[in-house]
Amino acid sequence: IFEHPAGGYRKIFETCEELSEPLPATVTGRIPSFLKGSLLRLGPGLFEVGDEPFYHLFDGQALMHKFDFKNGQVTYYRKFVRTDAYVRAITEKRVVITEFGTFAYPDPCKNIFSRFFSYFKGVEVTDNCLVNVYPVGEDFYAVTETNYITKVNPDTLETLKKVIDMCNYININGVTAHPHIENDGTVYNIGNCMGKGATLAYNIVKIPPEQKDKSDPIEKSKVVVQFPSAERFKPSYVHSFGMSENYFVFVETPVKINLLKFLSAWSIRGSNYMDCFESNESQGTLFHVARKDPGEYIDHKFKGAPIGMFHHINTYEDQGFIVFDLCSWKGFEFVYNYLWLANLRANWEEVKKAAMMAPQPEVRRYVIPLDVHKEEQGKNLVSLPYTTATAVMHADGTIWLEPEVLFSGPRQAFEFPQINYNRFGGKNYTYTYGLGLNHFIPDRICKLNVKTRETWVWQEPDSYPSEPLFVQTPDGIDEDDGVLLTIVAAPGSQRPAYLLILNAKDLSEVARAEVECNIPVTFHGMYKP
């Protein structure tokens, strides 16, 4: 395990300027000739406004990064996304819209009466789209987890359409930053919704591919299927979902959003989104399955021990079973409690101490039997020969799921998982790639063979990579014929950041393209050919 006593990781949580024009990068090694497009990434880039700090990892204002590949040369460019939250903060030189962990105080210049009323005007939900970027039809959107998505130009990084409010199109309160995209361009996503009589549910939304008549596919969004919520006023936090060829899998964790708190929080001075989360310590984890086409909820109660979960790795069907792999965190505590910037910027010994208290990360495989009605209780319903995951029917009709652990290391998380999605998304697969978090500090790139559990690692001292994106070699035959693209911050070096290209087979270095500027932390992104 690498130690980081020098604390160079602090640099990835520091504000940086946007660029007025693309910077040329210094290339060592050879850029593969099939890389001809751009790597797009999103993350926070502004960590304070004037003298007001943002407090949480998910609060910094959205900065979009782009590495362009052309004839073996590479350029780097970045621009802040012109969201309401950003534009108003810059204009008023203060935090104007409450973010995930930072409360926006009302303008002190307004008189006491207007201040009093501004507490009761309701919520100004943030549109700070710092989490991911993905295509819908011919357009590209920068997204977070609220109901707002922002249309961007992937070539110039200009913000095209400030805000699209998904609530205007569909019954949904927010959508995740992790949609599933089929080869024809159909987009599926999931979000919370309020039903009749304030009953909660989770809706899967389908956005069709590019339309012949060039109309906006988002306007044709529709709800495909609805999952019930375990608690009436407390939806679980949902970050991603699983999709195989014919099924959706939704994992309802014990991390809850207390809606009554959420609706009243905005009248309490100093309150933010993080204050509205709580854990239901008695619920455990509920696993829901639905048929994709036609959308139909499968009414079996699948249950397991409590986990926190952000990222699904992959989901597929095999011989009457649904197999799904997740990056999990054991227990019911909310992992975001450990992602306050003050924690992440602490000295290495303190960072380690805090992480020792946090839930333990683990890559897990769960298996759900689709045919359960005729089985007797008490025996394992999973008959797949290659997994130790089990599903056992209890007397009350609940089916208890125990996972197979595919990867586990103390305080070493395999997170931000990626696969060869174009060819193996929703299918039986072998390899996943991830960002290794060492006590929450990203310091390595990992590859995992989910069949044999073999692992590979790329790591260098004082180097802090980001989520690795897989790009297939055009004539590649094997699942792992391709390269991984990641952005590495190496704050101590002469050129403090670089795009790193690794061979996806063995994580050996193919090339790097260094730039003379710092690059802060990024969360997710995409390769646009």
Side-chain angles (χ1 to χ4, degrees):
I1 292 171
F2 263 53
E3 297 284 334
H4 300 287
Y9 50 80
R10 287 192 194 92
K11 271 277 188 240
I12 63 178
F13 310 115
E14 276 180 21
T15 292
C16 64
E17 308 272 308
E18 57 181 22
L19 295 171
S20 51
E21 57 196 34
L23 276 182
T26 309
V27 174
T28 34
R30 267 190 63 198
I31 306 290
S33 56
F34 63 85
L35 288 179
K36 291 192 167 77
S38 341
L39 170 67
L40 300 169
R41 304 279 309 162
L42 269 159
L46 182 73
F47 290 92
E48 64 288 306
V49 189
D51 54 6
E52 296 188 12
F54 288 110
Y55 292 107
H56 201 273
L57 178 60
F58 302 129
D59 293 350
Q61 297 300 292
L63 182 62
M64 196 161 177
H65 307 259
K66 176 170 73 103
F67 278 93
D68 273 329
F69 304 99
K70 204 171 181 180
N71 308 328
Q73 299 301 303
V74 180
T75 55
Y76 169 64
Y77 187 50
R78 66 180 176 218
K79 245 179 138 49
F80 282 102
V81 184
R82 295 329 194 235
T83 60
D84 275 354
Y86 174 79
V87 171
R88 289 171 60 185
I90 293 301
T91 313
E92 299 188 34
K93 297 188 175 47
R94 63 188 188 89
V95 177
V96 181
I97 293 180
T98 292
E99 297 291 354
F100 205 72
T102 305
F103 172 72
Y105 287 93
D107 187 344
C109 308
K110 295 202 176 110
N111 69 35
I112 180 108
F113 284 110
S114 69
R115 261 204 330 230
F116 175 77
F117 285 115
S118 74
Y119 275 128
F120 296 100
K121 268 211 312 268
V123 189
E124 272 202 291
V125 175
T126 180
D127 61 341
N128 179 25
C129 49
L130 77 164
V131 185
N132 203 356
V133 53
Y134 61 82
V136 176
E138 296 217 296
D139 302 320
F140 288 80
Y141 291 92
V143 299
T144 175
E145 298 187 313
T146 65
N147 47 311
Y148 294 122
I149 65 176
T150 303
K151 192 159 148 184
V152 289
N153 178 328
D155 299 322
T156 63
L157 305 192
E158 296 296 322
T159 305
L160 298 176
K161 211 171 186 181
K162 253 244 298 264
V163 159
I164 290 182
D165 182 350
M166 290 298 288
C167 296
N168 295 342
Y169 299 103
I170 205 138
N171 179 17
I172 205 144
N173 293 70
V175 291
T176 76
H178 292 290
H180 279 285
I181 302 173
E182 298 193 311
N183 289 337
D184 70 351
T186 305
V187 175
Y188 288 96
N189 209 335
I190 191 169
N192 296 328
C193 76
M194 299 284 284
K196 295 187 181 69
T199 322
L200 273 177
Y202 309 88
N203 281 345
I204 296 246
V205 179
K206 177 182 184 176
I207 306 173
E210 193 189 332
Q211 302 293 298
K212 293 252 192 320
D213 60 5
K214 294 290 178 221
S215 61
D216 186 351
I218 286 183
E219 294 177 11
K220 301 196 169 57
S221 310
K222 64 176 202 286
V223 173
V224 194
V225 71
Q226 190 168 73
F227 294 109
S229 171
E231 288 190 74
R232 207 172 144 193
F233 294 112
K234 297 179 182 176
S236 288
Y237 174 69
V238 49
H239 190 90
S240 67
F241 65 105
M243 186 174 92
S244 65
E245 289 185 48
N246 302 292
Y247 294 91
F248 300 115
V249 172
F250 163 53
V251 179
E252 194 176 14
T253 71
V255 174
K256 301 289 178 182
I257 302 161
N258 182 328
L259 279 191
L260 302 177
K261 256 194 212 161
F262 185 78
L263 296 171
S264 63
W266 311 97
S267 58
I268 301 166
R269 194 166 177 77
S271 205
N272 58 50
Y273 292 77
M274 276 296 285
D275 297 328
C276 305
F277 288 102
E278 58 186 51
S279 291
N280 176 340
E281 301 182 11
S282 61
Q283 176 197 289
T285 303
L286 304 172
F287 301 92
H288 301 271
V289 185
R291 239 174 230 103
K292 204 157 128 188
D293 193 20
E296 177 193 2
Y297 180 63
I298 295 174
D299 204 1
H300 286 304
K301 295 256 181 301
F302 298 106
K303 217 177 154 179
I307 55 169
M309 200 275 299
F310 307 102
H311 299 117
H312 278 259
I313 301 175
N314 200 12
T315 308
Y316 66 90
E317 299 149 42
D318 190 6
Q319 303 165 48
F321 297 93
I322 297 178
V323 180
F324 56 103
D325 298 344
L326 325 164
C327 299
S328 71
W329 298 79
K330 286 191 213 171
F332 47 72
E333 197 190 356
F334 195 27
V335 175
Y336 288 4
N337 292 339
Y338 293 88
L339 301 180
W340 295 97
L341 289 166
N343 288 23
L344 298 170
R345 290 171 174 150
N347 289 333
W348 178 237
E349 291 307 315
E350 296 301 311
V351 164
K352 283 199 294 189
K353 221 179 278 172
M356 295 308 277
M357 325 264 292
Q360 175 65 11
E362 216 169 58
V363 177
R364 294 183 164 193
R365 165 164 291 182
Y366 287 91
V367 178
I368 284 182
L370 286 166
D371 194 20
V372 290
H373 53 90
K374 58 183 185 291
E375 299 286 355
E376 65 274 30
Q377 63 197 50
K379 78 174 232 249
N380 175 21
L381 307 178
V382 179
S383 56
L384 291 174
Y386 54 79
T387 180
T388 55
T390 59
V392 175
M393 170 89 78
H394 286 191
D396 62 359
T398 312
I399 296 144
W400 184 266
L401 304 183
E402 283 290 347
E404 171 183 2
V405 176
L406 300 178
F407 174 83
S408 173
R411 301 332 181 261
Q412 306 294 307
F414 179 103
E415 261 291 347
F416 297 89
Q418 289 287 323
I419 60 169
N420 180 341
Y421 187 85
N422 293 346
R423 276 179 54 198
F424 289 88
K427 300 183 175 74
N428 193 334
Y429 75 119
T430 307
Y431 301 109
T432 175
Y433 311 93
L435 177 61
L437 305 182
N438 174 359
H439 298 77
F440 292 111
I441 300 298
D443 71 359
R444 61 196 185 281
I445 296 295
C446 315
K447 174 183 182 178
L448 168 66
N449 180 326
V450 296
K451 295 191 159 87
T452 64
R453 302 194 195 174
E454 189 181 354
T455 55
W456 295 258
V457 171
W458 174 91
Q459 192 166 40
E460 282 185 8
D462 299 319
S463 303
Y464 306 99
S466 63
E467 168 191 67
L469 293 174
F470 178 84
V471 183
Q472 167 117 37
T473 314
D475 49 2
I477 294 150
D478 296 341
E479 181 180 334
D480 57 354
D481 277 340
V483 294
L484 300 179
L485 306 179
T486 181
I487 298 176
V488 183
S493 54
Q494 192 186 344
R495 299 192 189 92
Y498 56 95
L499 164 85
L500 175 66
I501 304 176
L502 298 176
N503 182 333
K505 282 222 182 275
D506 58 4
L507 301 199
S508 58
E509 181 171 330
V510 174
R512 61 177 68 187
E514 300 173 294
V515 289
E516 290 186 32
C517 62
N518 281 308
I519 299 184
V521 61
T522 56
F523 298 132
H524 298 290
M526 60 175 289
Y527 170 71
K528 177 181 171 284

